[in-house]
Amino acid sequence: MPNNNVDVSQLYEVGNKKFFAAALNSNGTFGEKTYHEGLVEVKIEFTQEVTEISADDNPAFITLASAVTGEGTVKFAVLPYAVYSKFFNVTTDSNGAVIISGKSKSPKQVAFGYYSQVGDGSESLFTMYKAVFSLPSLNSVSFDGKTIRDLTLNVKVQPYDYTDAADKKQQVSYTILNSELNKEIWSAVQDEIYIPDKEVG
């Protein structure tokens, strides 16, 4: 059982590391979770629209909330082509040239995340489940066909559908696992994308 007696809300976090990504397949499953070096910064702002409906002289008789969505940037110091191609519809031709084209193709959807060091010495694992990255501006990067340096990617995060422990359909935009609070499952969630309420082990 998770330890719910520790309040980590006041613990500071430093550093980003161990960026990972996995393809989100059309059937809702995830591809292989792979780790990559070179993460510099993650800045994503999450928002939720709240609508209040008046009735019976109560201005908030009914309160409705939309799904949580996010938008921001992920910055890398270096990003190999093998990682870059996970985010975008890119291929190489018979001569090895990189072909970038999105015509008649839906943008790739991926899960991604990273780790941060918490002030108590533990680690936190952040996972975003349904993200679409935008192609970077060519005038801001050096692109040699293999590596993109000092690269900032724009990203949008949408909620992902899953089934909870009560067999009800739910949505998640991101999750946080902590190596201390969730130590019973921590080692088991490193190799695959963690899905809420799914049996781990």
Side-chain angles (χ1 to χ4, degrees):
M1 292 292 293
N3 180 3
N4 295 319
N5 297 322
V6 180
D7 181 8
V8 296
S9 63
Q10 302 301 317
L11 298 178
Y12 64 88
E13 296 179 356
V14 292
N16 298 322
K17 58 183 179 180
K18 294 196 295 187
F19 175 87
F20 60 86
L24 173 56
N25 301 318
S26 58
N27 63 359
T29 62
F30 294 98
E32 181 184 5
K33 178 181 179 181
T34 54
Y35 289 85
H36 308 283
E37 296 179 347
L39 179 64
V40 175
E41 181 182 63
V42 177
K43 293 176 66 176
I44 301 176
E45 181 177 346
F46 285 92
T47 59
Q48 182 181 44
E49 292 186 14
V50 176
T51 302
E52 295 180 342
I53 301 174
S54 301
D56 293 339
D57 203 26
N58 182 348
F61 182 79
I62 299 175
T63 301
L64 303 174
S66 68
V68 175
T69 60
E71 188 168 354
T73 58
V74 179
K75 183 177 182 180
F76 297 92
V78 59
L79 190 64
Y81 172 74
V83 183
Y84 181 79
S85 61
K86 286 185 178 181
F87 300 148
F88 312 112
N89 291 315
V90 296
T91 58
T92 54
D93 68 5
S94 59
N95 297 311
V98 177
I99 309 296
I100 298 176
S101 173
K103 185 177 180 181
S104 301
K105 289 185 179 180
S106 299
K108 288 188 175 183
Q109 294 182 333
V110 298
F112 76 95
Y114 64 97
Y115 294 72
S116 68
Q117 193 74 37
V118 185
D120 66 351
S122 65
E123 279 187 303
S124 287
L125 161 61
F126 295 81
T127 303
M128 271 61 63
Y129 290 85
K130 188 177 180 181
V132 174
F133 286 85
S134 299
L135 282 164
S137 173
L138 280 180
N139 62 10
S140 66
V141 298
S142 175
F143 184 61
D144 62 9
K146 297 180 181 178
T147 305
I148 300 175
R149 295 177 175 85
D150 194 12
L151 175 62
T152 299
L153 300 179
N154 294 319
V155 62
K156 291 185 178 181
V157 178
Q158 299 292 332
Y160 167 78
D161 296 329
Y162 74 98
T163 302
D164 68 11
D167 204 31
K168 293 183 179 179
K169 294 291 185 182
Q170 302 288 357
Q171 289 186 325
V172 58
S173 296
Y174 71 99
T175 57
I176 306 171
L177 289 170
N178 179 267
S179 61
E180 180 61 29
L181 297 179
N182 309 107
K183 58 186 175 184
E184 294 85 359
I185 65 169
W186 182 254
S187 61
V189 299
Q190 305 305 310
D191 295 333
E192 297 181 351
I193 297 296
Y194 172 77
I195 298 176
D197 279 345
K198 183 177 179 181
E199 184 176 350
V200 177

